[in-house]
Amino acid sequence: KATVSVLYWSLEPHHQNFFKMGFLDADLLYPSLKDQKNAHKRKRLVQGPKSSFLDVKCPSCVQVTTVFSHASTVVVCGSCSTVLAQPAGGKARLTAGSSFRAKQE
């Protein structure tokens, strides 16, 4: 595992073992999963979209409906017309009480 780091040692007596990491203290070959998840879709090690399709279960009639995670229109249940998701600028906001899971590819 190759890491590039620059160490600056403090000369004060009460900071004997304290050091600061330099500019390139991240591992460039093996970035962490947390960093990859927060990165832009084109800046990741393996490019891919952040959006997905979700199976949303209606809280009133328990019917499962497929919803796009970044839906730009209001999504209603097919049988009882309950609102399942509303657009919120980016990701769609699901109705309180409805359960969901990411659809398998």
Side-chain angles (χ1 to χ4, degrees):
K1 205 168 166 182
T3 60
V4 179
S5 63
V6 180
L7 302 176
Y8 296 102
W9 291 95
S10 177
L11 299 176
E12 291 137 31
H14 60 281
H15 290 284
Q16 293 274 334
N17 296 329
F18 180 77
F19 63 91
K20 295 179 184 177
M21 298 302 276
F23 176 67
L24 292 174
D25 60 348
D27 190 355
L28 300 176
L29 292 176
Y30 303 101
S32 68
L33 292 175
K34 184 180 106 179
D35 292 339
Q36 287 294 300
K37 185 173 177 136
N38 292 332
H40 186 266
K41 65 181 181 179
R42 300 291 299 265
K43 304 278 183 183
R44 293 190 209 148
L45 204 56
V46 177
Q47 295 179 2
K50 286 188 175 183
S51 59
S52 62
F53 288 95
L54 307 171
D55 282 335
V56 179
K57 189 185 291 184
C58 180
S60 59
C61 69
V62 195
Q63 181 180 358
V64 177
T65 307
T66 301
V67 177
F68 186 57
S69 65
H70 291 68
S72 59
T73 59
V74 175
V75 179
V76 295
C77 180
S79 62
C80 65
S81 300
T82 304
V83 175
L84 297 177
Q86 295 178 341
K91 289 189 175 183
R93 184 175 41 237
L94 297 178
T95 304
S98 61
S99 58
F100 71 95
R101 68 175 180 184
K103 237 172 144 55
Q104 300 296 324
E105 283 111 34

